[in-house]
Amino acid sequence: MKLNQHLINCLAGLFFLLGSGYATGQENSDLETWTSAEFRYRPTKKWRVGLEGQLRLKENSSEIDGYFAELTGGYEIFKGFRTTLGFRLISKNDNTGKQQGYENYVRLHADALYKHKVKRLGLNYRFRYQTRDELGVTNENGDFADQTLRLKIGTEYNFRKWKLDPLLSAEIFHENNRNEDEGFDKFRVTFGTEYKFKKWGRLGLFYRYEREIDKTNPASTDIIRVQYVYTLKGY
């Protein structure tokens, strides 16, 4: 009963955040669609590598926002705790201002992740440091690498005889950039589920709400994400 109540409280908090965003009546909002496919390989129980491609649509999912390819590698230091490094090549569509077109970026990130279970409730935590820099633009032209710290907390409840277990997470971003004011920049709340096929990986469907923090006219984004992951084990 306590675990069920904990899940209900998490869902109530999610809907409260969503409601507070819409209650402002802001017009600075958008609906995006993210679709991704990822291949993961686990040569041993401790090591894992992954290759992901993703396409993002913006402006009510009517125009390409960008796409990227990402390579990751991770190692489990002890049960439940692992570290991950990631390298991402990004092509982003800039369709505002005088200079428009696709801009290319490179992004690096380092993660520390920990997960554990309390009976049928799974809990996971992720701390990420990431840096992103635009290719072909120098510091003399006003380009400095963006640096961000991210903290994410997630839950998953394993219902008996039910394959579509709910997934819920919340994440906050802290920017540390030379050409902008540093501080908490935005937060994300995600709710969704995954269906696991016996031999063909798993398919996930998620709704994500993202909103800027401490801005005069904070932008908010509703995101629909479709994710496919196939994992191959070598042991």
Side-chain angles (χ1 to χ4, degrees):
M1 292 297 294
K2 290 183 179 180
L3 291 180
N4 289 337
Q5 186 62 45
H6 179 77
L7 179 62
I8 293 173
N9 291 338
C10 290
L11 293 175
L14 168 64
F15 290 119
F16 173 79
L17 288 171
L18 298 180
S20 64
Y22 287 112
T24 60
Q26 63 179 3
E27 297 181 356
N28 192 12
S29 61
D30 195 11
L31 172 64
E32 296 186 359
T33 302
W34 298 1
T35 55
S36 66
E38 182 179 2
F39 172 76
R40 296 177 182 175
Y41 178 59
R42 300 186 62 179
T44 68
K45 291 184 177 180
K46 289 185 174 293
W47 286 98
R48 65 184 67 186
V49 294
L51 180 62
E52 178 185 359
Q54 186 173 137
L55 172 68
R56 296 182 178 182
L57 304 179
K58 61 180 178 179
E59 297 184 5
N60 293 322
S61 302
S62 64
E63 187 163 343
I64 294 177
D65 179 39
Y67 49 88
F68 68 77
E70 181 174 272
L71 178 65
T72 57
Y75 179 76
E76 185 179 48
I77 298 176
F78 56 84
K79 184 177 180 180
F81 181 80
R82 60 187 173 91
T83 58
T84 301
L85 297 176
F87 174 79
R88 178 181 295 187
L89 288 175
I90 307 169
S91 185
K92 190 169 182 61
N93 181 20
D94 181 5
N95 59 351
T96 61
K98 295 182 178 180
Q99 294 183 349
Q100 300 185 18
Y102 280 89
E103 300 169 345
N104 297 315
Y105 296 84
V106 60
R107 199 192 82 172
L108 304 174
H109 73 254
D111 295 343
L113 308 100
Y114 180 70
K115 64 179 182 179
H116 64 103
K117 288 185 177 181
V118 181
K119 294 185 178 180
R120 304 187 70 86
L121 179 68
L123 299 168
N124 58 82
Y125 318 89
R126 186 186 75 185
F127 177 78
R128 168 173 289 183
Y129 167 79
Q130 71 180 40
T131 178
R132 189 188 74 165
D133 194 18
E134 185 175 359
L135 298 175
V137 182
T138 63
N139 294 346
E140 289 75 13
N141 294 327
D143 174 62
F144 297 95
D146 297 330
Q147 300 183 59
T148 306
L149 299 177
R150 300 166 56 173
L151 178 62
K152 181 179 180 181
I153 301 175
T155 64
E156 177 182 5
Y157 193 83
N158 182 15
F159 287 98
R160 290 184 175 89
K161 299 180 181 181
W162 181 253
K163 292 186 177 181
L164 300 176
D165 294 330
L167 303 168
L168 176 66
S169 67
E171 185 173 18
I172 192 166
F173 295 66
H174 187 280
E175 302 285 349
N176 184 22
N177 303 326
R178 287 186 57 181
N179 55 345
E180 297 180 5
D181 295 333
E182 65 178 35
F184 290 105
D185 178 65
K186 61 184 177 182
F187 71 86
R188 286 178 179 171
V189 180
T190 304
F191 177 72
T193 188
E194 293 180 333
Y195 184 84
K196 298 178 181 178
F197 301 93
K198 289 185 178 180
K199 297 182 179 180
W200 304 104
R202 66 178 189 264
L203 183 66
L205 178 62
F206 303 91
Y207 167 75
R208 173 171 290 165
Y209 177 75
E210 179 179 288
R211 190 182 182 196
E212 293 179 330
I213 299 175
D214 195 24
K215 301 289 177 65
T216 303
N217 184 23
S220 67
T221 308
D222 298 285
I223 301 167
I224 303 299
R225 181 176 183 184
V226 180
Q227 178 187 37
Y228 173 75
V229 179
Y230 179 79
T231 301
L232 178 63
K233 296 181 180 180
Y235 57 92

